[in-house]
Amino acid sequence: MAITDAENPLLGETTCGSLLQKLQEIWDEVGESDEERDKMLLQIEQECLDVYKRKVEQAAKSRAQLLQALSDAKLELSTLVSALGDKSFVDIPEKASGTIKEQLAAIAPALKQLWKQKEERVKEFSDVQSQIQKICGEIAGNASEQTGAPEVDESDLSLKKLDEYQVKLQELQKEKSDRLHKVLEFVSTVHDLCAVLGMDFFSTVTEVHPSLDDTTGVQSKSISNDTLSRLAKTVSALNEDKKQRLHKLQELATQLIDLWNLMDTPEEERRLFNHVTCNISASVDEVTVPGALALDLIEQAEIEVERLDQLKASRMKEIAFKKQVELEEIFSHVHIEIDPEAAREKIMALIDSGNVEPTELLADMDNQIAKAKEEAHSRKEILDRVEKWMSACEEESWLDDYNRDENRYNSSRGAHLNLKRAEKARILVNKIPGMVDTLVAKTRAWEESRGITFTYDGVPLLAMLDEYAMLRQEREEEKRRHKDQKYSEQPNAEQEAIFGSRPSPARASGTKKVVGPRANGGSNGTPPSRRLSLNANQNGSRSGTKDGRRDSTKLASPSNYVATSKEDAVSHVSGTDPVPASP
């Protein structure tokens, strides 16, 4: 093999043949033997072989390195494609062709592009995972303890995996937004409650977490589970405190109003505590005015109640007599007789003796008033029926007087009005027996359930009804006698018409009249306006007035009923309802 100039620059234009010729010349000049010459040439040949051998080894080693590089490049290419999960956007040679270097040259651009994509993808993964890690730390409450970026798993950098992380990030961002919204709601509620309760909002909210004050940005506020839990507990505690303060304030307001009413406190003085009494019936959610439940306001109300209590003790007699008047008015309204003078003397004696606390006395009187109201409520139905019965008796008395008026059908002024009233009165009078029976039944049921007698202005109501029934029965019998007498006088009248008139005997004295409970002339010391009496000679002087108004002091049954059987005429309290015919 010849050695070129490029391979041996020191020899210039010299070739192997020229060098061998030169060597022969030197040997000839020196006189080397053939043996030495062969030996020398063999050595030269061996040295050349060694050089070729080294070069071949170097070339083989270089080829092996290139093959390994190609293999590594292919493996890296495959790994990158697998990690990125998509090779459609990279120009990767499908089949290996050409020399090793050509193959490496063909793979190199794809590798470079994939490395660039990997770096970008790793950065995207790192950003998403960093945000996930941050939000998770904020939720867990240890965001400040996290250091460094999260490790990215480079074995799977596919878009599918990236989408999964992004979906998770979106879920966490939504959860963070919801938590932040809840935190802001809690903070707003704490602010409103602190305003109503007169408390320092800043110290209250920063005690939960320092990031919750107004100086911190919204995105920097703590949204951890612990913060939300503590905020919820704070709101619950403030609501409970608000509820208790409102209950306390309403109790004080009620006491203030009661004391004002007892002592007739002027309106000007009451207005000073309008901010206390305005919430007397408000619910917890309705109280939103700042400072409405502040401790100093409650303390102010307590001081005022204490002052009024002391003033009440000094005006005990006046207040007690005022309650006594209220009690007497209740009893009077439901027609229960009491001894007011004795009650007042007892009150005076208790107060002067000092053996009873003023509050105990007033509480006892309040209890009496409550019982009196309960008693009044139980008597209401019966009293309403008594009033209807009395009104019917008044109409009966008016109708009786109207029927006695001989000029009632004259065309005088107002006669048609009296006629209409008489028609209505007859209908009402026919209902009186039923009213009485119902009233008796109701009264007896009331007495049986309570074990006491039902009195009306001190008179047993059943006795009044019995007396009324007896008088009504007597009146019916008198009407029958009067009618029988009238029939017996008719033949005499016919004889007088034939043989001449003669003086007629004087008409029997006025018939008896059933006077209702509102009639005058009471007996046995009972109130004259609430007792039944037998008025034998009362004719009803106002029955024929022009305006047709009834006499409110007299009730009487009509005297011109037609004849009825004795059984129908008798209307006892416990009997059946008679229905007399209209005159």
Side-chain angles (χ1 to χ4, degrees):
M1 178 178 282
I3 300 175
T4 61
D5 297 342
E7 293 173 346
N8 295 290
L10 296 176
L11 299 179
E13 297 295 329
T14 305
T15 63
C16 289
S18 63
L19 288 175
L20 184 57
Q21 185 179 359
K22 184 68 176 175
L23 183 60
Q24 289 289 347
E25 291 176 357
I26 294 173
W27 283 342
D28 289 339
E29 185 179 351
V30 173
E32 288 288 343
S33 64
D34 292 336
E35 183 179 354
E36 286 295 330
R37 290 184 182 188
D38 293 337
K39 185 178 180 180
M40 186 68 66
L41 289 173
L42 184 62
Q43 184 179 358
I44 291 172
E45 185 178 357
Q46 185 64 41
E47 289 178 358
C48 287
L49 289 173
D50 290 340
V51 171
Y52 278 112
K53 188 176 181 179
R54 285 197 303 272
K55 292 298 181 181
V56 170
E57 289 178 354
Q58 289 177 1
K61 186 177 180 180
S62 176
R63 183 187 64 181
Q65 290 176 350
L66 288 174
L67 288 173
Q68 183 64 40
L70 180 61
S71 177
D72 292 343
K74 289 181 178 180
L75 179 61
E76 186 175 0
L77 183 66
S78 175
T79 302
L80 288 173
V81 170
S82 175
L84 295 175
D86 192 358
K87 60 180 181 179
S88 60
F89 51 85
V90 180
D91 185 13
I92 300 174
E94 294 294 333
K95 294 183 180 180
S97 60
T99 63
I100 297 175
K101 289 186 177 181
E102 288 175 351
Q103 293 181 36
L104 282 174
I107 293 176
L111 279 176
K112 184 177 181 181
Q113 187 176 356
L114 288 174
W115 269 109
K116 183 178 179 182
Q117 291 178 358
K118 178 182 178 181
E119 291 176 357
E120 294 175 353
R121 191 72 58 80
V122 168
K123 185 175 182 302
E124 291 178 4
F125 270 85
S126 179
D127 291 341
V128 173
Q129 288 181 265
S130 297
Q131 295 180 57
I132 292 174
Q133 183 180 16
K134 180 181 178 183
I135 296 176
C136 290
E138 291 175 353
I139 293 175
N142 57 0
S144 59
E145 300 176 3
Q146 297 178 357
T147 56
E151 294 184 2
V152 178
D153 182 12
E154 297 185 1
S155 63
D156 188 358
L157 300 175
S158 62
L159 293 176
K160 180 181 179 181
K161 188 69 173 180
L162 182 61
D163 290 339
E164 291 178 0
Y165 278 114
Q166 288 175 343
V167 169
K168 184 177 180 180
L169 176 61
Q170 291 175 358
E171 292 175 353
L172 289 172
Q173 287 175 338
K174 184 178 184 304
E175 183 178 355
K176 177 181 178 179
S177 176
D178 294 341
R179 284 171 171 263
L180 186 60
H181 181 68
K182 188 177 293 186
V183 166
L184 294 178
E185 282 185 349
F186 275 133
V187 171
S188 177
T189 303
V190 171
H191 180 274
D192 295 341
L193 289 172
C194 287
V196 173
L197 298 174
M199 299 173 61
D200 184 10
F201 164 71
F202 180 80
S203 62
T204 302
V205 78
T206 53
E207 188 175 329
V208 176
H209 196 277
S211 66
L212 299 179
D213 64 328
D214 294 336
T215 59
T216 305
V218 174
Q219 296 297 327
S220 301
K221 295 187 183 299
S222 174
I223 58 171
S224 66
N225 293 328
D226 181 64
T227 300
L228 286 172
S229 176
R230 296 181 66 181
L231 276 174
K233 291 179 180 178
T234 302
V235 170
S236 178
L238 290 175
N239 276 324
E240 183 63 27
D241 193 12
K242 179 182 178 182
K243 181 179 178 181
Q244 293 177 357
R245 290 193 190 185
L246 178 60
H247 180 68
K248 177 67 174 177
L249 192 69
Q250 288 176 339
E251 287 182 345
L252 293 171
T254 302
Q255 295 177 24
L256 281 175
I257 292 175
D258 291 341
L259 291 169
W260 287 340
N261 293 335
L262 280 174
M263 295 182 287
D264 292 330
T265 304
E267 188 64 28
E268 293 76 12
E269 187 175 342
R270 299 188 184 196
R271 288 198 194 99
L272 298 176
F273 290 89
N274 279 346
H275 56 290
V276 176
T277 58
C278 65
N279 293 321
I280 190 170
S281 60
S283 63
V284 176
D285 296 332
E286 291 174 346
V287 181
T288 58
V289 178
L293 300 177
L295 288 176
D296 55 349
L297 185 145
I298 296 177
E299 183 179 357
Q300 179 186 6
E302 288 176 339
I303 294 173
E304 180 64 13
V305 169
E306 184 178 355
R307 183 185 73 83
L308 292 176
D309 277 334
Q310 295 174 356
L311 182 62
K312 179 182 71 174
S314 63
R315 298 176 58 185
M316 193 61 206
K317 291 182 181 179
E318 179 184 348
I319 297 172
F321 286 152
K322 186 175 181 180
K323 287 186 175 291
Q324 179 62 25
V325 169
E326 182 182 355
L327 186 63
E328 292 171 4
E329 288 177 353
I330 295 173
F331 284 137
S332 175
H333 183 69
V334 294
H335 302 282
I336 298 177
E337 276 196 347
I338 59 173
D339 188 354
E341 293 300 327
R344 292 172 185 270
E345 290 176 2
K346 182 180 179 181
I347 293 173
M348 288 288 294
L350 288 173
I351 295 175
D352 294 339
S353 66
N355 296 330
V356 62
E357 289 292 331
T359 53
E360 293 179 1
L361 177 59
L362 292 180
D364 181 66
M365 297 190 73
D366 287 336
N367 188 34
Q368 293 182 36
I369 291 173
K371 290 181 178 179
K373 290 180 178 179
E374 182 181 354
E375 180 78 7
H377 181 72
S378 70
R379 294 167 61 93
K380 184 178 184 302
E381 182 181 3
I382 295 178
L383 291 176
D384 290 342
R385 293 181 179 275
V386 169
E387 290 298 320
K388 292 179 180 178
W389 169 55
M390 290 181 176
S391 297
C393 289
E394 288 180 2
E395 287 299 293
E396 185 181 29
S397 176
W398 178 87
L399 184 62
D400 189 32
D401 293 340
Y402 175 77
N403 289 333
R404 289 195 187 96
D405 186 7
E406 297 178 353
N407 298 322
R408 62 181 180 274
Y409 296 119
N410 294 343
S411 58
S412 59
R413 183 179 181 184
H416 66 290
L417 297 177
N418 288 337
L419 183 59
K420 289 182 179 180
R421 179 179 175 181
E423 292 175 357
K424 294 180 180 179
R426 290 187 185 97
I427 296 173
L428 184 60
V429 167
N430 288 336
K431 296 179 181 179
I432 290 179
M435 290 183 183
V436 173
D437 288 343
T438 303
L439 191 54
V440 169
K442 293 284 185 182
T443 305
R444 285 178 177 170
W446 187 93
E447 291 182 348
E448 289 175 1
S449 65
R450 294 183 171 264
I452 57 175
T453 301
F454 190 101
T455 59
Y456 190 93
D457 289 336
V459 181
L461 180 58
L462 288 178
M464 293 173 60
L465 295 171
D466 286 339
E467 183 178 356
Y468 172 81
M470 293 171 59
L471 292 175
R472 187 180 181 88
Q473 182 180 0
E474 292 176 4
R475 185 263 180 95
E476 292 296 328
E477 293 176 354
E478 180 69 21
K479 283 172 59 179
R480 286 195 197 89
R481 288 195 297 270
H482 179 69
K483 191 171 185 179
D484 293 342
Q485 182 181 358
K486 183 177 179 181
Y487 286 152
S488 65
E489 290 178 354
Q490 283 183 353
N492 295 332
E494 293 176 355
Q495 293 177 5
E496 289 177 2
I498 298 174
F499 301 101
S501 63
R502 62 179 178 179
S504 61
R507 186 179 178 181
S509 59
T511 60
K512 292 183 180 179
K513 193 178 199 179
V514 181
V515 182
R518 291 195 175 113
N520 292 331
S523 60
N524 300 326
T526 58
S529 63
R530 296 300 182 191
R531 288 286 291 159
L532 295 169
S533 64
L534 184 61
N535 189 348
N537 299 307
Q538 188 173 7
N539 295 321
S541 60
R542 296 181 59 185
S543 62
T545 55
K546 292 182 179 180
D547 56 1
R549 289 178 297 179
R550 63 184 178 183
D551 185 353
S552 62
T553 63
K554 177 178 61 175
L555 295 177
S557 299
S559 60
N560 58 343
Y561 279 105
V562 298
T564 56
S565 64
K566 185 175 182 180
E567 288 78 11
D568 291 340
V570 178
S571 57
H572 289 288
V573 173
S574 60
T576 58
D577 298 348
V579 184
S582 299

